[in-house]
Amino acid sequence: MATQYRYLFADLITNDILAEIPLTNVSFTQALNTPGSFSGTILGSDVQEQGYDIPNSTIPARTAIYVDRDGVLIWGGIIWLRSWDSDSQHWTFSAREFGSYFERRRITDTLVYNNQDQLFIAQDLLNLAQAVTGGDIGVVVPSNVSGVNRTRVYYDYEFKDVWSAIKDLSNQQDGFDFNIDVAYDSNLEPRKYAYTSYPYRGITYNANNADALVFEFPGNIVSYEWPDDGSVVANTMYGIGPQSNEAKIRATAVSPIDQIAAGYPFLEDTISYTDQYDPTLLYQQTLGEVTAKQVPVPTPKIVIPAYISPVLGSYKTGDQCLLRITDDRFPNNGSGFGLTEVFRIVAITVQPGENGPERVTLTLTLPTS
């Protein structure tokens, strides 16, 4: 039986379903620690034949869209853009996951967190954003802890957006993963659930686990891309805080691995934190950045069928998987495979394939620990 996709449009605040409308040319992405995106098209002929009220059921900035795949919600977000093309007689839509709402919310009161658990800070920022009139979009916020305490001050005059505040917090050494998922509740109503996961989200690869994720080329991988980007490499990072000229708060962090001794040239980079007044926190954030950039990190993209094991829905962002590749890029090294390496899924892009096979593209990166 063919996979069935349903696209549900709902009022962002009340979550009332406004319409179920068929879409074409759909592609959507689930991402780790950043809102994923969605795009799709409504045929003008479908609008006329079925009588859909597109203008009132797809209003940007106030309409949610949920993606149902065979009775399971696998994506949800907010429509931010729609466009009508008179030549093709098509509506096109662009949406982003619900985290994008908190990119549009600002911290307008001075908030002081003194030696508080980092997950509590993130959760409190989400809860405060939803506590104002018109601010509650129904995101259920967890209350788990990490055991890692931070001291953080957000000044009212900075007007920092909530999502960036959480992202900066998570990017420090010993940080965490976060985003917003969707699922049906016990009444089969679509709901939004934030997660704050420490030290990271997802399943650790275990070769002894029968359900461990394994992707192979040749095998269940249709094709892959393997970029090696050295343009982002740095072994000394300068963190620049607020103030001006000589009064600027600054921090210098050096790669934990001695890259100079390993043969790399001296490579520098800078990063700005215009709201970071604490020199210790500025250093921690800068160290986190240089640690992530100390070597060219491969971020391969593998294309897999959605319906071949492991099937779509059996993995999520944050999960670890074993990647095996044998071809001209990775010739057989005598062990049976050219490449055998554990990676982590950081993004999942789905193309439902109404005019072709259902395809999934996984973006991978090496685990941090």
Side-chain angles (χ1 to χ4, degrees):
M1 183 176 178
T3 300
Q4 297 293 318
Y5 277 86
R6 299 168 59 215
Y7 304 99
L8 309 175
F9 295 78
D11 183 276
L12 179 60
I13 299 296
T14 67
N15 212 36
D16 292 337
I17 301 299
L18 304 173
E20 178 183 335
I21 304 173
L23 302 178
T24 62
N25 301 318
V26 170
S27 177
F28 56 90
T29 299
Q30 303 163 336
L32 192 66
N33 304 342
T34 192
S37 60
F38 175 97
S39 61
T41 300
I42 297 177
L43 302 178
S45 57
D46 286 344
V47 175
Q48 295 173 357
E49 293 173 4
Q50 303 298 327
Y52 298 120
D53 184 5
I54 303 301
N56 292 314
S57 57
T58 63
I59 299 174
R62 61 166 297 175
T63 305
I65 179 172
Y66 297 98
V67 179
D68 176 302
R69 180 182 185 269
D70 287 342
V72 177
L73 282 190
I74 61 173
W75 197 92
I78 302 170
I79 295 175
W80 291 110
L81 174 68
R82 72 179 180 191
S83 179
W84 167 253
D85 188 310
S86 63
D87 286 338
S88 64
Q89 297 286 293
H90 288 176
W91 291 90
T92 56
F93 297 89
S94 297
R96 297 180 68 223
E97 288 184 299
F98 289 109
S100 61
Y101 171 72
F102 296 97
E103 293 176 332
R104 301 294 302 275
R105 295 299 312 281
R106 304 289 167 170
I107 299 173
T108 57
D109 295 315
T110 296
L111 301 175
V112 180
Y113 298 96
N114 186 22
N115 199 34
Q116 295 278 348
D117 192 283
Q118 60 182 350
L119 299 192
F120 170 80
I121 297 174
Q123 295 153 8
D124 196 52
L125 291 174
L126 293 175
N127 284 325
L128 289 173
Q130 292 194 109
V132 303
T133 301
D136 188 358
I137 64 169
V139 175
V140 179
V141 180
S143 58
N144 57 317
V145 296
S146 67
V148 177
N149 289 357
R150 310 281 190 194
T151 294
R152 195 72 174 90
V153 179
Y154 300 99
Y155 294 99
D156 54 3
Y157 54 78
E158 295 169 352
F159 295 103
K160 190 172 183 66
D161 77 82
V162 171
W163 199 257
S164 292
I166 298 173
K167 195 170 185 67
D168 288 348
L169 192 67
S170 73
N171 279 342
Q172 297 182 55
Q173 287 287 86
D174 210 18
F176 56 94
D177 287 334
F178 69 103
N179 213 325
I180 298 173
D181 282 342
V182 294
Y184 286 120
D185 64 14
S186 57
N187 296 318
L188 296 183
E189 298 289 337
R191 299 297 178 197
K192 318 168 187 76
Y193 300 94
Y195 66 82
T196 48
S197 304
Y198 176 83
Y200 49 77
R201 186 197 196 204
I203 299 171
T204 301
Y205 176 78
N206 182 348
N208 296 321
N209 186 344
D211 296 324
L213 298 173
V214 179
F215 299 103
E216 297 181 335
F217 185 85
N220 53 4
I221 298 176
V222 175
S223 62
Y224 75 92
E225 296 179 10
W226 193 284
D228 290 303
D229 188 2
S231 67
V232 300
V233 174
N235 36 56
T236 297
M237 181 74 67
Y238 305 108
I240 303 172
Q243 308 297 346
S244 60
N245 301 326
E246 292 86 356
K248 274 188 178 295
I249 300 173
R250 290 169 287 185
T252 300
V254 178
S255 165
I257 300 174
D258 190 344
Q259 296 298 78
I260 306 298
Y264 280 90
F266 184 46
L267 298 169
E268 301 166 290
D269 202 354
T270 61
I271 187 165
S272 296
Y273 295 99
T274 57
D275 62 338
Q276 184 52 270
Y277 291 83
D278 187 319
T280 300
L281 292 179
L282 180 63
Y283 171 76
Q284 290 176 346
Q285 290 173 317
T286 306
L287 179 60
E289 287 291 331
V290 76
T291 300
K293 293 186 174 185
Q294 58 190 337
V295 293
V297 178
T299 53
K301 293 184 178 182
I302 63 173
V303 180
I304 57 176
Y307 45 84
I308 293 178
S309 182
V311 299
L312 178 62
S314 64
Y315 46 82
K316 62 182 181 295
T317 54
D319 284 348
Q320 291 184 4
C321 62
L322 180 66
L323 182 62
R324 292 172 172 164
I325 299 176
T326 304
D327 63 357
D328 291 342
R329 172 65 176 82
F330 298 102
N332 191 329
N333 59 11
S335 64
F337 299 96
L339 171 84
T340 301
E341 187 80 54
V342 173
F343 281 84
R344 190 171 186 232
I345 301 171
V346 293
I348 302 172
T349 301
V350 180
Q351 294 177 300
E354 62 271 8
N355 297 316
E358 189 183 13
R359 291 283 187 257
V360 179
T361 300
L362 303 181
T363 302
L364 310 176
T365 190
L366 293 172
T368 54
S369 60

